[in-house]
Amino acid sequence: MTEQLLHLTEEPLWEAARRAGTYEMSTRGRTLREEGFIHCSLPHQLPAVARALYGPDKEDLVVLVIDTGRLTAPVRYEAMKAGGEEFPHLYGPLPVSAVVEVRSWSGHMAPEEGEAG
């Protein structure tokens, strides 16, 4: 398997994508069409992304594990601001076949600092 990227999403959105064959949400409340790409993360980036996007509202979240070798659209690493940390962005729909694992967010990682376990 090639490099793995992660994408945090709401379980009902993933279930709809499974039926459609492609996932086309960029980030919470924004589509691929609106944003121009799908926001992804590397494993070490995901906890901060979860806090920023969902705060304490983490029910029904799943982590999509993406095999980049199965993607048909390009991935570019880009920073949100000059000199900032680069995040992977998928510039096209995510084929369901590129998702090699779906993890529950609650079981994905231990609670973050300051969170009750």
Side-chain angles (χ1 to χ4, degrees), residues 19 22-24 26-27 33 54 59 63 85 95 97 109 114:
R19 289 188 295 276
T22 59
Y23 178 84
E24 298 191 25
S26 176
T27 188
R33 175 171 274 177
Y54 294 95
E59 288 188 34
V63 179
E85 184 175 13
S97 62
M109 296 186 169

Side-chain angles (χ1 to χ4, degrees), residues 2-47:
T2 56
E3 179 182 30
Q4 285 187 353
L5 301 181
L6 305 176
H7 179 80
L8 187 63
T9 191
E10 298 161 51
E11 189 172 20
L13 296 175
W14 169 242
E15 290 304 321
R18 287 182 59 216
R19 289 188 295 276
T22 59
Y23 178 84
E24 298 191 25
M25 290 299 295
S26 176
T27 188
R28 186 177 191 186
R30 306 251 326 147
T31 66
L32 169 61
R33 175 171 274 177
E34 292 169 326
E35 197 74 6
F37 56 85
I38 295 174
H39 288 270
C40 297
S41 302
L42 298 174
H44 75 276
Q45 297 170 324
L46 197 60

Side-chain angles (χ1 to χ4, degrees), residues 5 7 13-14 16-25 32 38 40 64-75 89-102:
L5 301 181
H7 179 80
L13 296 175
W14 169 242
R18 287 182 59 216
R19 289 188 295 276
T22 59
Y23 178 84
E24 298 191 25
M25 290 299 295
L32 169 61
I38 295 174
C40 297
L64 307 182
V65 180
I66 303 163
D67 180 348
T68 58
R70 298 181 182 191
L71 296 174
T72 55
V75 174
H89 296 152
L90 174 60
Y91 278 85
L94 172 59
V96 169
S97 62
V99 177
V100 294
E101 185 179 352
V102 178

